[in-house]
Amino acid sequence: MLLEALGSALLGLALAWAAGQRVPNRLPSRTLVLPTGIAGALFGAFITHSALGPGHALATLVGAFVLSAALLSLLLRPTRGRAHRLSPNP
């Protein structure tokens, strides 16, 4: 379980770093993005490990990835042009 937690934390860190590199203008500061990715991955691994039990390391990492990506997506801000395009035409 310790290796699952370490692997999940590294996976969350890598995912948060990649998100920060890909869309830095739509995310808040890196001091918020990196811990959010790690915390999401650890929480996802905890939930998946609790649901499936020991012996499902790959599924635990998938759960960590999914929850980390979901939490990081909540940090995204909309682009300036998108808000204008969503308004109804008169």
Side-chain angles (χ1 to χ4, degrees), residues 5-55:
L6 182 61
S8 297
L10 290 176
L11 182 67
L13 180 65
L15 185 62
W17 180 82
Q21 293 294 317
R22 179 110 170 120
V23 285
N25 56 338
R26 293 186 59 198
L27 287 169
S29 70
R30 206 172 264 211
T31 58
L32 178 66
V33 173
L34 293 177
T36 301
I38 294 169
L42 287 173
F43 191 60
F46 171 71
I47 290 173
T48 309
H49 184 80
S50 297
L52 298 177

Side-chain angles (χ1 to χ4, degrees), residues 48-67:
T48 309
H49 184 80
S50 297
L52 298 177
H56 297 91
L58 184 60
T60 301
L61 290 177
V62 169
F65 179 83
V66 168
L67 194 60

Side-chain angles (χ1 to χ4, degrees), residues 19 23 26-28 71-78:
V23 285
R26 293 186 59 198
L27 287 169
L71 281 180
L72 287 171
S73 74
L74 293 175
L75 294 177
L76 287 173
R77 294 177 286 201

